[in-house]
Amino acid sequence: MPRCCGASLVSVVDGDGSPQSLGLQIQDGNPRNKTALAPGHSLMDWIRLGNSGADLTGVGGVPRIVTLSELASHNKKNDAWIAIRGIVFNVTQYMDFHPGGIDELMRGVGKDATKLFESVHAWVNYQSILQKCVVGRLSRGSVSGTTPSPTENTTVSNTADCSSATLNQITSCTTDCAGQENVPDGDLSSIKMDWKQTIQLITFFFKQQTCKSPGLCYELTKQTDSKLIFKLIFENDTTTHILDLIGKIKWPPTCIRNFETMQVDFTFLKQEKMPWINYGIQMIMRETSTARLFREYEVVANILLSNLVHLLVLRAKDFLQIITPGRHVIVKLNDIDMLLGKDLSRSYTPVPPCLHPDYMPPNYTSNCQCLIIKKYPNGAISPSITTLQVGQTLLLSGVVGTFAIEKYDRYSVIHMVAAGTGLTPMLGIIQRSLSKRSVKTINLLHFNKNEQNMFYEDQLEKVSGKKLKVTHILSQPRDTWTGIRGVVSYELLEELVGKCKPDECVFTCGPLPFMRATRM
């Protein structure tokens, strides 16, 4: 195949649609391996056509799954699809713009032309030239790329299988799930992905236009160094963004969640320090699923916080979750023999790695989850979890629960009443509230039996001040204790919390008797 118009990187990050901003290098003259193009069919004309709003995909601009048989049916000059490196492009309107001529381009039409392309001109930046022509992803399975109508006699996959699938199964399953056909245009549609870069870094960020998705959680999976899968999870509705990048990144990313703007940034180091003309190809899919998927996490730190309370830092391989404050995960042990053959599980609330940077736990990275777990000597699972050593593993589920902290954003004063490890769900709320300008006061009451049961007090003291007030109450302290003594009671709560005003709310967490007492 004769050489097409070359494409080389230039040091332009943001462009206006010109050849230079697309990273294209226009070649003047008429090299012997190029075909003379008719007037109005230059590279500049092709770029103008792409920027005109015309649908060059032929499928309405909605990415889809394309099977080999479907690809083969689009093998004519006036209906031409071509697959390169797993992505299918509609090159019908590009025919007359191809510098190598129509006949040469037709050699790859209707088939996977990756080998042909790479053997002739692998240096050409086809992603930029054909970025407006993407039909979707090539699937070598037998699943059709179109969603069957309800009247078609089609066997569909079980919705529950979707969330436990691999990448290839996900793309097939989300196409054919019965539950997906009736997914409404819900709140996740307001969340947009964008990107920015420097020479060394590339950032993908998601931002809600309004708070239409309270309790939104994120999952990110690295398939390869150039393929990422983002999942935005809201209740049982999931939007999946699959990115085929034009360059390679380093794992894990730096994750920043801005609680004011509701923007979440994922920033990666590039393996090669150079600007990207674009980030690559994106596919977006919707699915509904209630299936629960467990992943293996490795213990990278087990820190004793107090007499019986441990902080576990757990890391997944090529996977991370951002869980909204107040939600929880389900924990299972990998070694079922430790549980005498019983498959037991418990729910725990992930906590921030720290509230103050001086207390960042060892070995923590963005793809870690932190759990605070109290060891109950006669407990079914906590004695085994709290004795796990670095390098051992356990299983964590995805996010569970329906609590949505955003529903309480109208309150400027937050009271928290916690007993023992009932503090753990409060920590994420404290971290979030400290960063929000609308929250003026955080009043935390932490009840414990004695000094040996206290934990996190040094770190809470470090971040307390004008906005955060922390009060420790012990029921059986030593004689040297100078703080408040007692148990939760109406009189004590009236003294330390008072009567709530319209701009105040109260969060409580602890054992059942404690919870009953707080409602008196």
Side-chain angles (χ1 to χ4, degrees):
M1 185 183 294
R3 179 179 176 183
C4 296
C5 57
S8 60
L9 286 170
V10 295
S11 58
V12 178
V13 177
D14 296 312
D16 55 3
S18 66
Q20 285 74 24
S21 71
L22 290 173
L24 304 179
Q25 182 182 52
I26 299 177
Q27 297 181 356
D28 296 324
N30 184 27
R32 60 181 177 85
N33 55 359
K34 293 179 65 177
T35 299
L37 299 174
H41 291 82
S42 67
L43 176 59
M44 180 64 77
D45 293 316
W46 173 249
I47 293 170
R48 290 194 187 100
L49 179 60
N51 291 334
S52 69
D55 177 21
L56 302 183
T57 69
V59 293
V62 180
R64 55 193 288 170
I65 307 302
V66 181
T67 63
L68 286 171
S69 59
E70 185 180 10
L71 174 64
S73 67
H74 297 272
N75 61 350
K76 305 175 183 63
K77 177 183 174 182
N78 61 352
D79 182 16
W81 291 7
I82 188 171
I84 303 175
R85 297 172 185 167
I87 303 299
V88 178
F89 302 91
N90 186 339
V91 294
T92 305
Q93 297 196 54
Y94 183 63
M95 284 287 174
D96 293 329
F97 293 85
H98 184 237
I102 294 175
D103 291 341
E104 288 297 330
L105 185 56
M106 285 297 297
R107 291 175 59 195
V109 165
K111 64 184 73 171
D112 185 347
T114 302
K115 290 184 179 180
L116 179 62
F117 174 83
E118 292 182 344
S119 66
V120 179
H121 48 16
W123 63 87
V124 172
N125 197 333
Y126 67 95
Q127 295 102 325
S128 290
I129 299 173
L130 301 178
Q131 61 179 306
K132 301 295 180 67
C133 303
V134 175
V135 176
R137 180 185 295 275
L138 179 64
S139 170
R140 298 186 179 276
S142 59
V143 179
S144 172
T146 57
T147 304
S149 65
T151 58
E152 289 179 311
N153 184 16
T154 307
T155 301
V156 297
S157 304
N158 187 302
T159 307
D161 293 337
C162 290
S163 63
S164 60
T166 61
L167 173 62
N168 290 335
Q169 292 170 327
I170 286 174
T171 55
S172 300
C173 193
T174 53
T175 301
D176 276 0
C177 273
Q180 189 182 350
E181 293 183 33
N182 297 318
V183 174
D185 291 331
D187 297 325
L188 288 179
S189 61
S190 67
I191 304 171
K192 308 300 181 183
M193 191 202 84
D194 208 338
W195 72 297
K196 57 187 177 182
Q197 67 169 327
T198 65
I199 295 294
Q200 302 182 63
L201 305 172
I202 182 165
T203 299
F204 300 98
F205 56 93
F206 297 84
K207 186 173 182 179
Q208 302 182 53
Q209 302 301 318
T210 58
C211 188
K212 292 184 177 180
S213 304
L216 179 66
C217 299
Y218 294 81
E219 291 184 357
L220 171 58
T221 303
K222 179 177 77 75
Q223 285 281 315
T224 68
D225 288 347
S226 58
K227 183 175 294 184
L228 302 172
I229 302 176
F230 291 92
K231 285 195 173 186
L232 282 61
I233 303 169
F234 173 60
E235 297 179 348
N236 293 329
D237 189 6
T238 299
T239 296
T240 301
H241 297 252
I242 301 177
L243 304 186
D244 280 298
L245 307 177
I246 65 170
K248 293 184 177 182
I249 49 87
K250 295 182 180 181
W251 182 269
T254 299
C255 303
I256 299 177
R257 187 168 196 169
N258 189 314
F259 293 115
E260 284 285 357
T261 64
M262 296 180 289
Q263 179 171 310
V264 180
D265 292 9
F266 300 87
T267 300
F268 298 85
L269 280 169
K270 298 176 181 176
Q271 291 194 16
E272 295 185 17
K273 297 180 181 179
M274 58 188 302
W276 294 4
I277 55 174
N278 57 55
Y279 63 76
I281 303 298
Q282 178 188 25
M283 292 187 64
I284 303 175
M285 294 175 289
R286 295 281 297 277
E287 62 179 298
T288 55
S289 176
T290 57
R292 185 166 294 150
L293 175 66
F294 285 82
R295 292 180 180 271
E296 186 174 77
Y297 280 73
E298 179 184 354
V299 178
V300 297
N302 185 343
I303 303 167
L304 186 65
L305 298 181
S306 72
N307 188 26
L308 296 172
V309 179
H310 292 248
L311 171 66
L312 270 71
V313 183
L314 311 169
R315 180 182 298 146
K317 182 180 180 181
D318 298 334
F319 175 80
L320 66 83
Q321 295 187 82
I322 296 182
I323 298 176
T324 193
R327 298 290 179 90
H328 56 277
V329 295
I330 297 175
V331 178
K332 291 183 179 182
L333 286 175
N334 250 343
D335 191 352
I336 303 301
D337 291 336
M338 295 175 65
L339 299 176
L340 303 178
K342 296 181 180 179
D343 186 11
L344 297 180
S345 61
R346 289 292 183 270
S347 296
Y348 294 99
T349 303
V351 300
C354 61
L355 294 180
H356 191 280
D358 288 351
Y359 293 85
M360 182 65 70
N363 303 321
Y364 177 82
T365 52
S366 63
N367 54 332
C368 289
Q369 290 293 337
C370 296
L371 302 178
I372 290 179
I373 299 177
K374 182 177 181 179
K375 177 182 178 181
Y376 292 92
N378 297 320
I381 192 172
S382 64
S384 298
I385 294 179
T386 53
T387 56
L388 288 173
Q389 302 298 309
V390 172
Q392 292 184 288
T393 60
L394 45 66
L395 301 176
L396 262 64
S397 73
V399 61
V400 180
T402 59
F403 178 81
I405 185 62
E406 293 88 350
K407 295 180 179 179
Y408 301 90
D409 282 345
R410 66 181 183 273
Y411 299 105
S412 61
V413 177
I414 297 176
H415 300 284
M416 298 179 174
V417 183
T421 50
L423 174 66
T424 56
M426 307 295 187
L427 295 176
I429 300 174
I430 291 173
Q431 181 191 52
R432 181 179 187 272
S433 300
L434 286 172
S435 68
K436 290 187 69 66
R437 292 189 297 270
S438 60
V439 178
K440 305 303 180 185
T441 302
I442 309 166
N443 179 30
L444 170 64
L445 310 182
H446 192 198
F447 290 80
N448 280 290
K449 181 179 179 180
N450 52 40
E451 292 89 339
Q452 288 74 31
N453 292 102
M454 294 175 64
F455 66 96
Y456 230 83
E457 68 274 15
D458 291 341
Q459 193 167 166
L460 286 169
E461 182 179 357
K462 194 86 169 181
V463 296
S464 62
K466 184 177 180 180
K467 190 169 186 177
L468 172 63
K469 178 184 178 182
V470 181
T471 304
H472 296 281
I473 303 101
L474 302 183
S475 60
Q476 300 177 28
R478 298 192 188 101
D479 293 339
T480 55
W481 174 252
T482 58
I484 298 177
R485 301 166 181 257
V487 296
V488 64
S489 64
Y490 175 83
E491 293 75 19
L492 188 58
L493 292 179
E494 187 176 38
E495 176 187 349
L496 299 177
V497 176
K499 294 183 179 180
C500 277
K501 300 175 182 178
D503 62 341
E504 300 181 359
C505 67
V506 179
F507 295 107
T508 61
C509 189
L512 188 57
F514 177 86
M515 297 294 288
R516 291 196 185 107
T518 61
R519 294 188 176 95
M520 291 176 59

